[in-house]
């Protein structure tokens, strides 16, 4: 089962309730919420308050991608706000094992995120503690960037490693530059959670989600 995860970074902040309802009606599976702290990455985006409001506005699981310097400090608040999945960057979590366990202890599904050139070894080591691995296909911080082509080979390597090490049920999430014209190749490379911001919100959101569903099943 491939999951379509619209990234709310590309939603209209003034009409975010309308946009999440449209995502849900069009058949999105989860909603991707980019949390940026102005430190790990330059922009500042969503905090727990908006996550709590989103929680009241949809029944879809909220997938909170923490692009923050000190993820441990924020997990409790995002869990209380209603996050279902919380992913943290390996580059920001020196005590990654403990940090993933902490997410699970707060009732959320833990995920590990790797920047485009962070060694896959982090995913290999962390896979036993994570419910999903998020591979960035752009450098984090901004929507609308170009997909980094080397992602496909990297995703294949991770998928092969997981499958041959008894971890075939762990999904790979892809984030950055995912569009209708490349999503099929991304799924073929082994990713099954497809985050897309500008690729879905540019033009007609419902049509784009329906087309992506057709492409990925
Ligand atoms: C980037 C964010 C992404 C972003 C993707 O740092 O993590 O989730 O919203 O946007 P697109 O799909 O436009 O590349
Ligand atoms: Zn993201």
């Amino acid at each position: 089962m491939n999951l379509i995860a619209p990234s709310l970074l590309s939603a209209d902040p003034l009409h975010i309730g309308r946009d999440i309802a449209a995502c849900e009606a069009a058949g999105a599976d989860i909603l991707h919420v980019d949390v940026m702290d102005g430190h790990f990455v330059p922009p500042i985006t969503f905090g727990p308050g908006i996550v709590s409001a989103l929680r009241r506005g949809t029944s879809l699981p909220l997938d909170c991608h923490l692009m923050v310097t000190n993820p441990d400090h924020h997990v409790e608040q995002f869990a209380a706000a209603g996050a279902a999945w919380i992913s943290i960057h390996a580059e920001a979590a020196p005590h990654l094992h403990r940090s993933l366990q902490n997410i699970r202890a707060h009732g959320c599904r833990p995920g590990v995120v790797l920047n485009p050139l962070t060694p896959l070894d982090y995913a290999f080591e962390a896979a036993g503690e994570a419910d999903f691995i998020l591979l960035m296909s752009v450098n984090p911080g901004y929507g609308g960037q170009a997909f980094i082509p080397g992602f496909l080979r990297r995703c294949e390597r991770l998928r092969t490693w997981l499958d041959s090490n008894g971890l075939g049920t762990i999904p790979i999430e892809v984030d950055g530059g995912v569009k209708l014209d490349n999503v099929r190749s991304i799924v073929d490379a082994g990713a099954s959670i497809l985050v897309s911001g500008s690729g879905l919100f540019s033009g007609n959101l419902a049509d784009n989600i329906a087309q992506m569903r057709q492409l990925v099943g």
Side-chain angles (χ1 to χ4, degrees):
M1 170 72 176
N2 295 308
L3 303 181
I4 296 176
S7 173
L8 300 183
L9 192 62
S10 291
D12 179 347
L14 194 56
H15 299 288
I16 200 156
R18 177 201 68 192
D19 285 355
I20 64 173
C23 288
E24 195 164 351
D29 299 293
I30 61 176
L31 295 173
H32 185 81
V33 183
D34 287 306
V35 176
M36 305 187 191
D37 67 350
H39 193 258
F40 182 71
V41 290
I44 296 175
T45 56
F46 307 119
I50 184 79
V51 170
S52 173
L54 293 168
R55 182 66 292 142
R56 295 194 299 277
T58 180
S59 59
L60 294 179
L62 300 175
D63 166 32
C64 289
H65 171 195
L66 302 191
M67 285 163 273
V68 304
T69 296
N70 185 353
D72 294 341
H73 184 71
H74 301 282
V75 164
E76 186 174 358
Q77 285 187 79
F78 281 97
W85 303 9
I86 295 182
S87 58
I88 57 175
H89 275 257
E91 306 85 2
H95 307 290
L96 188 55
H97 183 271
R98 185 166 63 204
S99 299
L100 293 168
Q101 290 192 330
N102 182 44
I103 294 169
R104 199 183 297 286
H106 282 88
C108 300
R109 298 184 61 182
V112 181
V113 193
L114 303 187
N115 280 336
L117 294 187
T118 298
L120 283 180
D121 281 358
Y122 280 95
F124 300 158
E125 299 293 345
E129 297 298 331
D131 283 2
F132 61 103
I133 311 286
L134 197 175
L135 293 184
M136 294 303 303
S137 39
V138 298
N139 291 295
Y142 304 94
Q145 301 181 82
F147 183 81
I148 297 173
F151 169 88
L152 293 176
R153 180 77 196 99
R154 189 169 153 81
C155 186
E156 284 169 5
R157 281 178 57 214
L158 177 56
R159 184 72 270 155
T160 301
W161 188 90
L162 291 169
D163 291 348
S164 52
N165 283 275
L167 295 164
T169 57
I170 296 190
I172 299 174
E173 181 170 17
V174 55
D175 186 7
V178 178
K179 314 250 185 215
L180 294 173
D181 64 7
N182 63 5
V183 71
R184 188 63 238 175
S185 62
I186 292 166
V187 169
D188 290 343
S192 59
I193 305 168
L194 310 158
V195 177
S196 180
S198 52
L200 292 178
F201 284 90
S202 303
N204 186 297
L205 176 63
D207 286 353
N208 291 337
I209 291 176
Q211 281 188 56
M212 190 169 283
R213 177 67 68 203
Q214 287 234 314
L215 287 163
V216 304

